[in-house]
Amino acid sequence: NAGVTQTPKFQVLKTGQSMTLQCAQDMNHNSMYWYRQDPGMGLRLIYYSASEGTTDKGEVPNGYNVSRLNKREFSLRLESAAPSQTSVYFCASSGTGFGQPQHFGDGTRLSIL
Amino acid sequence: GIQVEQSPPDLILQEGANSTLRCNFSDSVNNLQWFHQNPWGQLINLFYIPSGTKQNGRLSATTVATERYSLLYISSSQTTDSGVYFCAVAFGNTPLVFGKGTRLSVIA
């Protein structure tokens, strides 16, 4: 009963490097989300996908791209990492739309030097 | 946009004590969720409660949407209740807005 699975759990990058964070859910949810969590800031939405084939910007999309690969998978890409993107990244999923309970993965702790 | 304020920011309890966490929000909502982030960083959805009262074991939550607040009650607290509790709200089909959380420490 995996729920939402994120990989990797930890990553250290150098400024300017690129990487992709992976997320997969097995709950047959239509909607998926990427958040970042910074100390004292709560969670902020980066991008979301209301359903397969659609993606939309959230509150803090700059410097990120996403791909909804299929119903199960939603990836987040940093094209040219910056120290300001050091954070903990969470993927979540829910039934269709924001008005459904969201379920989170365990997070990816990303440090950019 | 909607503003979410949680109080208190920090709370220390002796094991067995009860506590009430509050979430105030600035506008009408029809989506309110409570989450617990444990000391290992995992986020667990506790309640989806846009209005009314729900209970799950030692935890219960009440939302009074007309007065723009929600309360999370923890009874007979245990050390495993430690962590950060987040309230998140939205209106219509819009993204959740998270509060900054209440950090709870339960001491044996």
Side-chain angles (χ1 to χ4, degrees), chain B residues 32-59:
Chain B
L32 189 145
Q33 303 185 33
W34 282 98
F35 297 88
H36 175 220
Q37 187 168 37
N38 64 27
W40 296 270
Q42 296 170 316
L43 275 158
I44 307 298
N45 192 305
L46 298 175
F47 293 103
Y48 171 74
I49 185 165
S51 63
T53 298
K54 289 187 178 179
Q55 181 156 6
N56 185 1
R58 296 180 296 101
L59 273 59

mmCIF file of all heavy atoms in Angstrom, chain B residues 32-59:
data_model
loop_
_atom_site.group_PDB
_atom_site.id
_atom_site.type_symbol
_atom_site.label_atom_id
_atom_site.label_comp_id
_atom_site.label_asym_id
_atom_site.label_seq_id
_atom_site.Cartn_x
_atom_site.Cartn_y
_atom_site.Cartn_z
ATOM 1 N N LEU B 32 -11.308 22.813 3.905
ATOM 2 C CA LEU B 32 -10.373 23.012 5.007
ATOM 3 C C LEU B 32 -9.818 21.645 5.397
ATOM 4 O O LEU B 32 -10.585 20.692 5.573
ATOM 5 C CB LEU B 32 -11.048 23.680 6.208
ATOM 6 C CG LEU B 32 -10.104 24.132 7.335
ATOM 7 C CD1 LEU B 32 -10.613 25.408 7.974
ATOM 8 C CD2 LEU B 32 -9.845 23.048 8.353
ATOM 9 N N GLN B 33 -8.511 21.555 5.483
ATOM 10 C CA GLN B 33 -7.860 20.297 5.813
ATOM 11 C C GLN B 33 -6.832 20.532 6.926
ATOM 12 O O GLN B 33 -6.168 21.571 6.948
ATOM 13 C CB GLN B 33 -7.173 19.698 4.570
ATOM 14 C CG GLN B 33 -8.153 19.490 3.412
ATOM 15 C CD GLN B 33 -7.571 18.803 2.196
ATOM 16 O OE1 GLN B 33 -6.702 17.950 2.298
ATOM 17 N NE2 GLN B 33 -8.095 19.175 1.015
ATOM 18 N N TRP B 34 -6.738 19.563 7.831
ATOM 19 C CA TRP B 34 -5.715 19.555 8.861
ATOM 20 C C TRP B 34 -4.709 18.450 8.555
ATOM 21 O O TRP B 34 -5.096 17.324 8.205
ATOM 22 C CB TRP B 34 -6.324 19.294 10.238
ATOM 23 C CG TRP B 34 -7.006 20.460 10.875
ATOM 24 C CD1 TRP B 34 -8.340 20.747 10.886
ATOM 25 C CD2 TRP B 34 -6.386 21.502 11.649
ATOM 26 N NE1 TRP B 34 -8.583 21.894 11.600
ATOM 27 C CE2 TRP B 34 -7.397 22.374 12.089
ATOM 28 C CE3 TRP B 34 -5.062 21.782 12.023
ATOM 29 C CZ2 TRP B 34 -7.144 23.508 12.859
ATOM 30 C CZ3 TRP B 34 -4.804 22.896 12.786
ATOM 31 C CH2 TRP B 34 -5.835 23.748 13.202
ATOM 32 N N PHE B 35 -3.427 18.785 8.722
ATOM 33 C CA PHE B 35 -2.347 17.844 8.470
ATOM 34 C C PHE B 35 -1.421 17.783 9.690
ATOM 35 O O PHE B 35 -1.257 18.787 10.404
ATOM 36 C CB PHE B 35 -1.495 18.265 7.266
ATOM 37 C CG PHE B 35 -2.236 18.304 5.963
ATOM 38 C CD1 PHE B 35 -2.900 19.458 5.564
ATOM 39 C CD2 PHE B 35 -2.267 17.205 5.136
ATOM 40 C CE1 PHE B 35 -3.577 19.511 4.352
ATOM 41 C CE2 PHE B 35 -2.936 17.242 3.920
ATOM 42 C CZ PHE B 35 -3.592 18.402 3.537
ATOM 43 N N HIS B 36 -0.818 16.623 9.902
ATOM 44 C CA HIS B 36 0.213 16.462 10.916
ATOM 45 C C HIS B 36 1.518 16.109 10.216
ATOM 46 O O HIS B 36 1.550 15.160 9.412
ATOM 47 C CB HIS B 36 -0.172 15.347 11.903
ATOM 48 C CG HIS B 36 0.901 15.038 12.900
ATOM 49 N ND1 HIS B 36 1.199 13.747 13.296
ATOM 50 C CD2 HIS B 36 1.738 15.847 13.589
ATOM 51 C CE1 HIS B 36 2.176 13.773 14.180
ATOM 52 N NE2 HIS B 36 2.512 15.038 14.382
ATOM 53 N N GLN B 37 2.559 16.891 10.499
ATOM 54 C CA GLN B 37 3.894 16.553 9.999
ATOM 55 C C GLN B 37 4.702 15.999 11.169
ATOM 56 O O GLN B 37 5.000 16.727 12.123
ATOM 57 C CB GLN B 37 4.594 17.763 9.392
ATOM 58 C CG GLN B 37 5.922 17.401 8.721
ATOM 59 C CD GLN B 37 6.473 18.514 7.868
ATOM 60 O OE1 GLN B 37 6.374 19.697 8.196
ATOM 61 N NE2 GLN B 37 7.099 18.165 6.746
ATOM 62 N N ASN B 38 5.029 14.720 11.117
ATOM 63 C CA ASN B 38 5.735 14.101 12.240
ATOM 64 C C ASN B 38 7.219 14.516 12.246
ATOM 65 O O ASN B 38 7.694 15.166 11.305
ATOM 66 C CB ASN B 38 5.557 12.580 12.213
ATOM 67 C CG ASN B 38 6.182 11.922 10.999
ATOM 68 O OD1 ASN B 38 7.135 12.431 10.415
ATOM 69 N ND2 ASN B 38 5.651 10.755 10.634
ATOM 70 N N PRO B 39 7.936 14.176 13.303
ATOM 71 C CA PRO B 39 9.342 14.598 13.396
ATOM 72 C C PRO B 39 10.228 14.057 12.270
ATOM 73 O O PRO B 39 11.317 14.582 12.054
ATOM 74 C CB PRO B 39 9.771 14.047 14.760
ATOM 75 C CG PRO B 39 8.505 14.018 15.554
ATOM 76 C CD PRO B 39 7.434 13.635 14.577
ATOM 77 N N TRP B 40 9.783 13.073 11.525
ATOM 78 C CA TRP B 40 10.538 12.547 10.399
ATOM 79 C C TRP B 40 10.165 13.267 9.087
ATOM 80 O O TRP B 40 10.685 12.933 8.035
ATOM 81 C CB TRP B 40 10.302 11.049 10.259
ATOM 82 C CG TRP B 40 10.825 10.318 11.447
ATOM 83 C CD1 TRP B 40 12.073 9.792 11.634
ATOM 84 C CD2 TRP B 40 10.096 10.052 12.649
ATOM 85 N NE1 TRP B 40 12.161 9.227 12.880
ATOM 86 C CE2 TRP B 40 10.971 9.364 13.529
ATOM 87 C CE3 TRP B 40 8.800 10.320 13.082
ATOM 88 C CZ2 TRP B 40 10.581 8.954 14.797
ATOM 89 C CZ3 TRP B 40 8.420 9.912 14.345
ATOM 90 C CH2 TRP B 40 9.302 9.234 15.178
ATOM 91 N N GLY B 41 9.258 14.200 9.183
ATOM 92 C CA GLY B 41 8.911 15.016 8.023
ATOM 93 C C GLY B 41 7.724 14.544 7.221
ATOM 94 O O GLY B 41 7.327 15.200 6.254
ATOM 95 N N GLN B 42 7.139 13.422 7.597
ATOM 96 C CA GLN B 42 5.998 12.904 6.839
ATOM 97 C C GLN B 42 4.734 13.709 7.128
ATOM 98 O O GLN B 42 4.459 14.033 8.289
ATOM 99 C CB GLN B 42 5.764 11.437 7.190
ATOM 100 C CG GLN B 42 6.915 10.534 6.791
ATOM 101 C CD GLN B 42 6.748 9.142 7.368
ATOM 102 O OE1 GLN B 42 6.390 8.983 8.536
ATOM 103 N NE2 GLN B 42 6.995 8.136 6.544
ATOM 104 N N LEU B 43 3.971 14.000 6.100
ATOM 105 C CA LEU B 43 2.725 14.765 6.218
ATOM 106 C C LEU B 43 1.543 13.818 6.101
ATOM 107 O O LEU B 43 1.389 13.135 5.087
ATOM 108 C CB LEU B 43 2.641 15.807 5.106
ATOM 109 C CG LEU B 43 3.338 17.133 5.355
ATOM 110 C CD1 LEU B 43 3.632 17.825 4.046
ATOM 111 C CD2 LEU B 43 2.481 18.012 6.250
ATOM 112 N N ILE B 44 0.702 13.837 7.128
ATOM 113 C CA ILE B 44 -0.457 12.951 7.173
ATOM 114 C C ILE B 44 -1.720 13.799 7.197
ATOM 115 O O ILE B 44 -1.826 14.743 7.982
ATOM 116 C CB ILE B 44 -0.431 12.066 8.431
ATOM 117 C CG1 ILE B 44 0.900 11.329 8.540
ATOM 118 C CG2 ILE B 44 -1.609 11.101 8.422
ATOM 119 C CD1 ILE B 44 1.192 10.396 7.402
ATOM 120 N N ASN B 45 -2.664 13.461 6.328
ATOM 121 C CA ASN B 45 -3.943 14.157 6.314
ATOM 122 C C ASN B 45 -4.788 13.662 7.485
ATOM 123 O O ASN B 45 -5.111 12.477 7.565
ATOM 124 C CB ASN B 45 -4.645 13.909 4.986
ATOM 125 C CG ASN B 45 -5.833 14.829 4.779
ATOM 126 O OD1 ASN B 45 -6.727 14.889 5.596
ATOM 127 N ND2 ASN B 45 -5.822 15.543 3.678
ATOM 128 N N LEU B 46 -5.127 14.578 8.402
ATOM 129 C CA LEU B 46 -5.914 14.209 9.574
ATOM 130 C C LEU B 46 -7.405 14.332 9.321
ATOM 131 O O LEU B 46 -8.174 13.433 9.658
ATOM 132 C CB LEU B 46 -5.537 15.102 10.757
ATOM 133 C CG LEU B 46 -4.107 15.031 11.264
ATOM 134 C CD1 LEU B 46 -3.886 16.071 12.344
ATOM 135 C CD2 LEU B 46 -3.791 13.637 11.778
ATOM 136 N N PHE B 47 -7.807 15.480 8.793
ATOM 137 C CA PHE B 47 -9.220 15.751 8.578
ATOM 138 C C PHE B 47 -9.419 16.591 7.321
ATOM 139 O O PHE B 47 -8.630 17.482 7.031
ATOM 140 C CB PHE B 47 -9.825 16.551 9.755
ATOM 141 C CG PHE B 47 -9.879 15.810 11.054
ATOM 142 C CD1 PHE B 47 -8.959 16.075 12.062
ATOM 143 C CD2 PHE B 47 -10.879 14.868 11.291
ATOM 144 C CE1 PHE B 47 -9.009 15.398 13.258
ATOM 145 C CE2 PHE B 47 -10.934 14.183 12.493
ATOM 146 C CZ PHE B 47 -10.002 14.448 13.475
ATOM 147 N N TYR B 48 -10.509 16.257 6.627
ATOM 148 C CA TYR B 48 -11.060 17.135 5.597
ATOM 149 C C TYR B 48 -12.362 17.639 6.197
ATOM 150 O O TYR B 48 -13.315 16.871 6.362
ATOM 151 C CB TYR B 48 -11.294 16.372 4.301
ATOM 152 C CG TYR B 48 -12.066 17.154 3.269
ATOM 153 C CD1 TYR B 48 -11.469 18.188 2.581
ATOM 154 C CD2 TYR B 48 -13.403 16.861 3.000
ATOM 155 C CE1 TYR B 48 -12.172 18.915 1.644
ATOM 156 C CE2 TYR B 48 -14.106 17.584 2.051
ATOM 157 C CZ TYR B 48 -13.489 18.608 1.383
ATOM 158 O OH TYR B 48 -14.195 19.327 0.451
ATOM 159 N N ILE B 49 -12.402 18.931 6.590
ATOM 160 C CA ILE B 49 -13.518 19.391 7.406
ATOM 161 C C ILE B 49 -13.902 20.821 7.055
ATOM 162 O O ILE B 49 -13.582 21.756 7.806
ATOM 163 C CB ILE B 49 -13.208 19.219 8.918
ATOM 164 C CG1 ILE B 49 -14.410 19.579 9.759
ATOM 165 C CG2 ILE B 49 -11.906 19.910 9.326
ATOM 166 C CD1 ILE B 49 -14.342 19.129 11.201
ATOM 167 N N PRO B 50 -14.585 21.034 5.923
ATOM 168 C CA PRO B 50 -14.986 22.396 5.559
ATOM 169 C C PRO B 50 -16.046 22.983 6.496
ATOM 170 O O PRO B 50 -16.205 24.205 6.549
ATOM 171 C CB PRO B 50 -15.533 22.240 4.142
ATOM 172 C CG PRO B 50 -15.888 20.803 4.028
ATOM 173 C CD PRO B 50 -14.935 20.056 4.905
ATOM 174 N N SER B 51 -16.763 22.127 7.220
ATOM 175 C CA SER B 51 -17.720 22.605 8.207
ATOM 176 C C SER B 51 -18.036 21.450 9.151
ATOM 177 O O SER B 51 -17.754 20.283 8.838
ATOM 178 C CB SER B 51 -19.000 23.106 7.545
ATOM 179 O OG SER B 51 -19.645 22.047 6.869
ATOM 180 N N GLY B 52 -18.606 21.784 10.318
ATOM 181 C CA GLY B 52 -19.043 20.748 11.238
ATOM 182 C C GLY B 52 -17.930 20.187 12.092
ATOM 183 O O GLY B 52 -16.895 20.808 12.263
ATOM 184 N N THR B 53 -18.184 19.018 12.665
ATOM 185 C CA THR B 53 -17.282 18.373 13.600
ATOM 186 C C THR B 53 -17.020 16.941 13.172
ATOM 187 O O THR B 53 -17.945 16.254 12.726
ATOM 188 C CB THR B 53 -17.874 18.383 15.025
ATOM 189 O OG1 THR B 53 -18.031 19.744 15.452
ATOM 190 C CG2 THR B 53 -16.976 17.648 16.004
ATOM 191 N N LYS B 54 -15.749 16.533 13.300
ATOM 192 C CA LYS B 54 -15.380 15.146 13.035
ATOM 193 C C LYS B 54 -14.465 14.666 14.150
ATOM 194 O O LYS B 54 -13.750 15.458 14.761
ATOM 195 C CB LYS B 54 -14.648 15.011 11.690
ATOM 196 C CG LYS B 54 -15.516 15.210 10.479
ATOM 197 C CD LYS B 54 -14.745 14.885 9.204
ATOM 198 C CE LYS B 54 -15.620 15.028 7.979
ATOM 199 N NZ LYS B 54 -14.884 14.729 6.721
ATOM 200 N N GLN B 55 -14.494 13.357 14.379
ATOM 201 C CA GLN B 55 -13.622 12.774 15.392
ATOM 202 C C GLN B 55 -12.930 11.556 14.825
ATOM 203 O O GLN B 55 -13.511 10.791 14.052
ATOM 204 C CB GLN B 55 -14.422 12.393 16.639
ATOM 205 C CG GLN B 55 -13.566 11.794 17.744
ATOM 206 C CD GLN B 55 -14.182 11.958 19.113
ATOM 207 O OE1 GLN B 55 -15.302 12.430 19.248
ATOM 208 N NE2 GLN B 55 -13.459 11.577 20.138
ATOM 209 N N ASN B 56 -11.672 11.395 15.233
ATOM 210 C CA ASN B 56 -10.905 10.218 14.849
ATOM 211 C C ASN B 56 -10.020 9.852 16.034
ATOM 212 O O ASN B 56 -8.949 10.421 16.239
ATOM 213 C CB ASN B 56 -10.056 10.505 13.610
ATOM 214 C CG ASN B 56 -9.330 9.257 13.120
ATOM 215 O OD1 ASN B 56 -9.477 8.173 13.688
ATOM 216 N ND2 ASN B 56 -8.545 9.397 12.074
ATOM 217 N N GLY B 57 -10.516 8.934 16.850
ATOM 218 C CA GLY B 57 -9.761 8.535 18.033
ATOM 219 C C GLY B 57 -9.645 9.671 19.024
ATOM 220 O O GLY B 57 -10.647 10.271 19.415
ATOM 221 N N ARG B 58 -8.410 10.009 19.398
ATOM 222 C CA ARG B 58 -8.195 11.078 20.379
ATOM 223 C C ARG B 58 -8.223 12.465 19.739
ATOM 224 O O ARG B 58 -8.130 13.472 20.433
ATOM 225 C CB ARG B 58 -6.843 10.875 21.065
ATOM 226 C CG ARG B 58 -6.738 9.612 21.882
ATOM 227 C CD ARG B 58 -5.361 9.479 22.541
ATOM 228 N NE ARG B 58 -4.305 9.340 21.543
ATOM 229 C CZ ARG B 58 -3.500 10.323 21.163
ATOM 230 N NH1 ARG B 58 -3.595 11.537 21.693
ATOM 231 N NH2 ARG B 58 -2.559 10.106 20.252
ATOM 232 N N LEU B 59 -8.320 12.510 18.443
ATOM 233 C CA LEU B 59 -8.343 13.788 17.743
ATOM 234 C C LEU B 59 -9.751 14.114 17.270
ATOM 235 O O LEU B 59 -10.485 13.223 16.836
ATOM 236 C CB LEU B 59 -7.422 13.745 16.521
ATOM 237 C CG LEU B 59 -5.943 14.088 16.711
ATOM 238 C CD1 LEU B 59 -5.270 13.165 17.703
ATOM 239 C CD2 LEU B 59 -5.228 14.070 15.381
#
